[in-house]
Amino acid sequence: MDKILQMLESDARLTPAQIATMLEKEEGDIKNTIKQYEKEGVIVGYQALVDWDKTDREYVSAVIEVKVVPQPDRGFDKIAEKIYHYDEVKSLYLMSGSYDLQVILEGKTLKEVAQFVAMKLAPLEYVTSTATHFVLKKYKDKGVVYEARETDERGNCEI
């Protein structure tokens, strides 16, 4: 039933009836499968992907690289748990490479994000360094292109 998950990930608005029709299955079976996925935590939520740049909402997004000292018996989990409980944190990932955790957060201003890093994130025990990168423009997010590409004056060539 991975197909159901792929369909919902692509378009969470699909109803069980629509999925059943597309997969030539019974609607009740699809409903039960979705409920089971939700119960097991396979499906953890449903969200709309919003292009906030087309609204009057003011905010900034930042990607923060965080280096930490792993803890005995808990590795990165305890420090990650502290970080993901902050409301400003939208996503948190354990990474391979030159840093350990990647924090995606939003704030109303650059100053607000900088204050979060300086006052909440950097002082945490086991955090050894941070590097903050501000998102200037989103082109694509979660597989969705935010703006169609423009064509040149001839109308036949993407630029």
Side-chain angles (χ1 to χ4, degrees):
M1 287 294 175
D2 286 335
K3 189 68 175 163
I4 294 172
L5 295 173
Q6 291 171 350
M7 294 170 80
L8 286 172
E9 185 177 49
S10 176
D11 185 356
R13 297 174 299 165
L14 290 173
T15 66
Q18 292 170 316
I19 294 170
T21 300
M22 289 185 264
L23 296 178
E24 298 178 353
K25 305 280 184 187
E26 293 294 321
E27 181 179 352
D29 293 341
I30 300 299
K31 282 182 182 178
N32 290 336
T33 300
I34 291 171
K35 283 181 187 175
Q36 187 64 31
Y37 283 149
E38 291 169 342
K39 182 180 173 185
E40 294 172 355
V42 174
I43 295 176
V44 294
Y46 301 89
Q47 291 186 326
L49 190 58
V50 178
D51 186 350
W52 290 107
D53 289 341
K54 293 185 178 178
T55 71
D56 58 359
R57 177 180 172 222
E58 292 294 323
Y59 80 103
V60 294
S61 294
V63 177
I64 304 167
E65 301 172 358
V66 183
K67 291 183 182 180
V68 301
V69 176
Q71 297 176 287
D73 301 325
R74 296 282 322 264
F76 299 99
D77 294 345
K78 187 174 181 182
I79 189 72
E81 190 175 322
K82 286 181 181 181
I83 294 170
Y84 69 61
H85 277 105
Y86 289 116
D87 290 337
E88 298 92 338
V89 175
K90 300 304 174 194
S91 300
L92 177 63
Y93 306 103
L94 178 62
M95 304 297 291
S96 64
S98 61
Y99 60 96
D100 304 305
L101 298 172
Q102 181 179 49
V103 180
I104 312 290
L105 71 93
E106 291 180 356
K108 292 179 183 171
T109 64
L110 296 173
K111 183 177 181 178
E112 185 177 282
V113 171
Q115 285 179 331
F116 172 84
V117 174
M119 304 302 283
K120 294 181 179 178
L121 187 59
L124 288 174
E125 187 177 11
Y126 302 109
V127 170
T128 60
S129 70
T130 65
T132 303
H133 309 276
F134 290 98
V135 176
L136 302 178
K137 182 176 180 177
K138 285 185 183 178
Y139 293 100
K140 185 175 182 178
D141 191 15
K142 296 180 179 72
V144 176
V145 175
Y146 273 61
E147 292 183 10
R149 295 189 67 178
E150 298 177 21
T151 56
D152 68 6
E153 293 94 34
R154 296 170 288 188
N156 62 359
C157 181
E158 289 185 356
I159 53 172

